[in-house]
Amino acid sequence: MQQAIKYSEEELILLLKKQDTSAFSYLYDNYSAAIFGVITRMVEEHHLAEDILQEAFVKIWNNFNQYDSSKGRLFTWMINLTRNLTIDTLRSKGFKKQQKISQDEKSVINYQDGGFNTAKFDTIGLRKQLAILKPEQQIVIELAYFNGYTQEEIAKEIGIPIGTVKTRIRSAILELRKLM
Amino acid sequence: MEVQEIISSGILETYVLGLTSAEDTARVQVWIKQYPEVAAEINEIEEAMEKLAMAQAVEPNAAVKSKILNSISIKPDTSVKENNTKIYSISPVWKWVAAASIILLLGSVIFNYVYYNKYQTVNYENALTRQQLQNQDSQLAQLNSQLDMLNHNMSVVQSKYSEPVSLHGMDVAPNAAAKIFWMKNTGEVYLDPSNLPDAPAGKQYQLWAIVDGKPEDAGMIVKTKKGEQYQIQKMKSFGNAQAFAVTLETEGGNPTPKGAMYVMGKM
């Protein structure tokens, strides 16, 4: 625990570009739980989720020179790297997208019927946040953020134009921004 | 495209979520540099998503961190990576496994060496014991046969029907002696020749019974096979005889006595 040291994001990035291991340790202490939360939302199996977390952080360390702060925040880069890694891992392990879709179809119906049940989900924290959203906003965040769907796939899945997918994601995130 | 139009289109949110095409991604990156409002909007979207993730954080197992730090600390440095040199590192777990298996192997070699030696010693001792046992067995068999013989001799001597007759030494061998045990009930004749001198080579003692004044052949006196000793031996049977005598004859004996008389005794 290095509670005495607190890096700004700029300092942290600078040190990580120089492959500073104590900065990396700090990065892990501050962001691993948030990143792991997203992984566990995407992967049911706990050991696999930990393996992915480990692989993600090793990848963050090894590829840190590819991070460009002018393109976005450090966390955005890390979480997108992690989400892509998780989706690739799940697909390589034979988790078929079709199965995911059929499950999601059920949840779409639930959303549309207004029969959304928070008790079904184990990640209560996230659920509390997302429960604020309208069902049609929840489903786009669900598919885009946690299931790795492309905009086209979301459009096809819900049966709306791509432009509407974008605006629906925007309105969902705007709701979350008000909340934060 | 107007800045407000860009912001309200939702393209910035999809950019943050990593959902934009390569083309749209490039466009957004140009807008970030071009319009401070776009950069600010993206930053707010990112912060919101970051807070969302923080709000649903799940603490991973503490072991994961040490695994990660282990695997990055043995990675090659950047200069080596730029040369595209592949370095295969061995995970610490396998190092322990290798060390453990070497220790086990050494342990097994020592164990085998010690126990092979012990096995050899025991094997040798076992052979020795078996040899001793065999020796004792043959000694015992020898003693048994001697005991049988003694028992037989004793039965002759102790029989209530046996009548002993002492044969005394003649002039050729005054110290010589022999003993006859004549069984009154059966007429069997036993001779104890143990006090006769050794017969010279080519010669053999012969017992004679004097019946009605004439010597009759009563059999050749033999030495036992083992020990080359004279033992009490059964001779030919006689219903009655007045005397017994032993002469030294040529090997195999003669129908009538030709050699010198060594001992003689009357009934």
Side-chain angles (χ1 to χ4, degrees):
Chain A
M1 283 293 171
Q2 296 179 323
Q3 284 168 330
I5 306 166
K6 201 171 192 312
Y7 300 104
S8 71
E9 190 163 323
E10 290 74 25
E11 288 169 334
L12 194 58
I13 291 162
L14 205 66
L15 287 168
L16 287 168
K17 294 259 184 198
K18 291 178 185 165
Q19 300 269 288
D20 183 299
T21 48
S22 59
F24 183 69
S25 177
Y26 176 89
L27 181 81
Y28 182 88
D29 291 343
N30 282 276
Y31 294 103
S32 60
I35 291 172
F36 193 54
V38 174
I39 299 170
T40 52
R41 182 63 191 82
M42 298 171 78
V43 180
E44 279 175 19
E45 217 254 294
H46 194 75
H47 282 291
L48 181 60
E50 285 188 344
D51 286 349
I52 292 170
L53 179 69
Q54 185 182 339
E55 206 184 321
F57 266 90
V58 171
K59 215 170 173 181
I60 287 164
W61 172 259
N62 287 334
N63 298 339
F64 203 81
N65 277 319
Q66 291 171 13
Y67 169 63
D68 181 351
S69 60
S70 74
K71 291 174 183 170
R73 290 170 66 89
L74 177 56
F75 184 79
T76 306
W77 179 72
M78 292 196 296
I79 200 68
N80 285 346
L81 180 151
T82 303
R83 283 170 52 239
N84 289 335
L85 178 68
T86 308
I87 291 156
D88 289 347
T89 305
L90 290 175
R91 285 179 188 165
S92 75
K93 286 190 178 294
F95 287 81
K96 292 214 176 68
K97 217 176 183 184
Q98 198 55 47
Q99 290 173 336
K100 278 277 184 189
I101 290 168
S102 64
Q103 277 181 349
D104 292 330
E105 275 171 349
K106 275 187 217 155
S107 49
V108 170
I109 293 161
N110 283 342
Y111 289 127
Q112 286 166 348
D113 293 350
F116 176 67
N117 180 7
T118 49
K120 276 202 303 189
F121 298 89
D122 47 7
T123 50
I124 304 299
L126 176 67
R127 281 290 141 211
K128 273 184 189 161
Q129 316 295 330
L130 293 183
I132 305 298
L133 303 176
K134 293 176 193 158
E136 72 265 21
Q137 292 170 336
Q138 286 178 7
I139 187 70
V140 288
I141 292 294
E142 194 74 38
L143 294 176
Y145 197 64
F146 297 115
N147 291 351
Y149 277 47
T150 64
Q151 294 180 68
E152 289 77 13
E153 284 168 336
I154 297 166
K156 202 179 160 200
E157 177 68 26
I158 308 179
I160 53 172
I162 288 179
T164 312
V165 173
K166 283 195 185 75
T167 52
R168 217 171 259 187
I169 290 172
R170 170 161 171 78
S171 65
I173 292 174
L174 274 174
E175 283 300 314
L176 292 170
R177 278 164 69 181
K178 277 188 222 160
L179 189 79
M180 296 298 167
Chain B
M1 214 189 245
E2 287 291 311
V3 171
Q4 270 316 306
E5 213 180 317
I6 293 167
I7 290 172
S8 60
S9 71
I11 193 172
L12 302 184
E13 280 80 2
T14 52
Y15 170 81
V16 170
L17 294 184
L19 295 176
T20 41
S21 64
E23 197 188 317
D24 280 354
T25 302
R27 283 165 68 196
V28 172
Q29 283 167 0
V30 170
W31 292 332
I32 292 170
K33 287 184 179 125
Q34 208 176 336
Y35 307 114
E37 300 97 315
V38 170
E41 180 72 10
I42 282 182
N43 197 55
E44 280 194 40
I45 297 163
E46 288 187 288
E47 277 186 343
M49 294 313 289
E50 195 170 323
K51 281 176 185 164
L52 178 68
M54 291 293 186
Q56 49 99 50
V58 177
E59 205 64 49
N61 192 313
V64 178
K65 186 182 179 182
S66 54
K67 276 191 207 164
I68 293 166
L69 293 180
N70 260 337
S71 69
I72 67 155
S73 64
I74 55 171
K75 287 279 174 192
D77 63 28
T78 39
S79 63
V80 175
K81 255 194 278 174
E82 279 160 13
N83 290 337
N84 270 338
T85 311
K86 276 190 176 178
I87 292 185
Y88 296 95
S89 53
I90 298 162
S91 117
V93 172
W94 287 109
K95 285 179 184 170
W96 282 111
V97 169
S101 49
I102 288 167
I103 289 164
L104 283 176
L105 178 66
L106 283 177
S108 162
V109 166
I110 292 165
F111 180 88
N112 285 340
Y113 177 76
V114 168
Y115 276 84
Y116 181 71
N117 277 352
K118 281 192 179 175
Y119 168 78
Q120 290 285 76
T121 309
V122 168
N123 233 6
Y124 173 74
E125 283 170 354
N126 186 26
L128 210 65
T129 308
R130 206 178 300 155
Q131 182 65 48
Q132 285 172 348
L133 208 62
Q134 276 177 358
N135 288 347
Q136 285 177 357
D137 270 355
S138 68
Q139 281 176 5
L140 197 65
Q142 208 176 325
L143 286 173
N144 269 340
S145 76
Q146 285 179 4
L147 191 66
D148 282 349
M149 207 143 61
L150 284 172
N151 279 341
H152 176 249
N153 291 351
M154 286 303 287
S155 73
V156 169
V157 172
Q158 287 175 337
S159 168
K160 62 178 181 180
Y161 299 109
S162 87
E163 186 166 328
V165 180
S166 289
L167 307 187
H168 303 288
M170 300 286 105
D171 290 343
V172 288
N175 293 328
K179 213 163 257 178
I180 291 287
F181 299 94
W182 181 65
M183 299 297 161
K184 287 181 275 189
N185 56 337
T186 59
E188 285 171 347
V189 174
Y190 292 88
L191 173 70
D192 173 13
S194 48
N195 289 311
L196 287 175
D198 283 349
K203 299 279 186 181
Q204 197 175 4
Y205 291 112
Q206 190 169 4
L207 180 69
W208 305 91
I210 313 300
V211 181
D212 298 332
K214 287 179 182 172
E216 286 184 18
D217 172 38
M220 302 307 294
I221 299 164
V222 294
K223 284 184 168 180
T224 54
K225 282 170 192 167
K226 280 183 185 174
E228 297 289 302
Q229 282 176 327
Y230 289 117
Q231 295 288 342
I232 291 180
Q233 49 199 272
K234 190 171 186 282
M235 310 306 289
K236 291 181 180 172
S237 300
F238 288 91
N240 73 78
Q242 291 80 50
F244 289 96
V246 173
T247 60
L248 188 66
E249 304 292 335
T250 49
E251 218 166 61
N254 287 313
T256 53
K258 289 197 170 74
M261 186 183 293
Y262 271 66
V263 290
M264 197 196 82
K266 288 178 182 165
M267 294 291 283

